[in-house]
Amino acid sequence: MESETLHQDTQLLAALALALVDHPRATLQELAKTAGISKATLYRFCRTRDQLVEQLWQHSIRALNHALDNAGLDSLAPLEALKRLITNNLEHREFQAFLMYYWKEAGAGIEEQMCWDMQLDAFFLRGQQQGVFRIDISAAALTEIFTWTLAGLINAERQGKVARLGLPALIENAFLHGAVATK
């Protein structure tokens, strides 16, 4: 029963995350309507907009840290881990969109809660040492390129510019091969 409740809460939070991204100035009543719930249900879940944003922050960070932790970045072959990382993140695309939109409001404490940079830097360095990733770009730069490729294409899919079908392969190919035409 607890697992079912957690799944329902996650679904509700995902809907509310997108509602806030799509309608950043909406009232709680408008957010509830957009998320497909009553205002009373939303009020039982969070009483204020600030509480909602805080709850979404915390859930988003936990979800994306979980996606990172379960990608096998330090144990799987680099390309397999990269595929898992992409898939895991796409399972939380609503929370990616929320974090991307509300990033500046988080303040300085957000970096302390998210451990992405260090883990991804270490992953890309390991891949470079194994000859999988190019060495003329620093591991830190690969982290930035990957992160923004992922975030940008998630946003493009949300806006209808990129099809959901094939999105994992598109992210992987865009990151690994860029825009150079194959000969």
Side-chain angles (χ1 to χ4, degrees):
M1 186 69 171
E2 185 177 316
S3 175
E4 184 178 327
T5 302
L6 180 62
H7 179 70
Q8 289 171 343
D9 286 352
T10 298
Q11 286 182 315
L12 175 57
L13 285 170
L16 289 167
L18 287 183
L20 270 169
V21 170
D22 292 339
H23 309 285
R25 290 178 177 40
T27 65
L28 284 179
Q29 185 168 349
E30 292 166 336
L31 291 172
K33 183 177 179 183
T34 301
I37 58 172
S38 70
K39 183 179 178 187
T41 299
L42 179 56
Y43 188 75
R44 281 192 299 273
F45 200 67
C46 328
R47 294 180 180 255
T48 68
R49 183 185 188 83
D50 288 341
Q51 284 178 344
L52 175 60
V53 170
E54 178 61 30
Q55 193 165 2
L56 284 167
W57 267 113
Q58 295 306 317
H59 185 83
S60 297
I61 290 167
R62 277 192 311 274
L64 297 179
N65 282 337
H66 186 269
L68 187 68
D69 292 342
N70 289 324
L73 298 182
D74 55 357
S75 59
L76 294 176
L79 293 179
E80 179 60 31
L82 182 68
K83 286 179 185 190
R84 270 195 178 178
L85 181 62
I86 292 167
T87 300
N88 291 353
N89 275 281
L90 289 177
E91 290 174 5
H92 303 290
R93 60 177 38 90
E94 299 88 357
F95 302 118
Q96 283 275 7
F98 174 80
L99 288 174
M100 209 166 69
Y101 190 87
Y102 286 91
W103 186 259
K104 290 183 181 176
E105 292 181 26
I110 191 70
E111 274 87 19
E112 295 170 11
Q113 295 177 15
M114 295 182 74
C115 50
W116 276 59
D117 285 351
M118 290 187 337
Q119 285 183 286
L120 286 175
D121 288 355
F123 166 68
F124 287 121
L125 179 60
R126 182 173 72 87
Q128 288 173 321
Q129 291 167 340
Q130 292 180 13
V132 176
F133 301 125
R134 51 192 291 178
I135 60 170
D136 60 322
I137 300 174
S138 71
L142 289 174
T143 294
E144 293 300 316
I145 294 166
F146 173 76
T147 301
W148 289 104
T149 299
L150 177 72
L153 288 173
I154 286 173
N155 190 50
E157 184 253 330
R158 257 188 21 71
Q159 294 177 354
K161 296 177 181 178
V162 173
R164 181 172 283 211
L165 185 64
L167 188 57
L170 175 59
I171 293 168
E172 181 183 347
N173 287 328
F175 174 71
L176 292 175
H177 306 293
V180 174
T182 57
K183 298 178 184 183

